[in-house]
């Protein structure tokens, strides 16, 4: 039987970076052309008017 994960080892910042990188990789791999800056900003959740 495996031991439960220790929450002290959880790195939320690293997990968030992995999630964002994954989004970009998936979008880029399915795109017919390079992603525009607006598309990248949208994937990253960046408000262009901020």
């Amino acid at each position: 039987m495996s031991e439960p994960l220790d929450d002290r080892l959880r790195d939320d910042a690293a997990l968030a970076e992995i999630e964002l990188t994954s989004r970009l990789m998936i979008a880029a791999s399915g795109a017919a052309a390079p992603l525009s800056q607006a598309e990248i900003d949208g994937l990253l959740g960046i408000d262009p008017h901020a």
Side-chain angles (χ1 to χ4, degrees), residues 9-26:
L9 300 177
R10 183 179 178 97
D11 186 339
D12 291 327
L15 291 173
E17 281 190 44
I18 292 167
E19 172 68 24
L20 293 175
T21 302
S22 298
R23 287 184 196 177
L24 288 173
M25 290 171 58
I26 292 166

Side-chain angles (χ1 to χ4, degrees), residues 35-46 48:
L35 298 174
S36 69
Q37 188 63 53
E39 291 171 316
I40 293 170
D41 288 348
L43 288 166
L44 297 177
I46 297 171

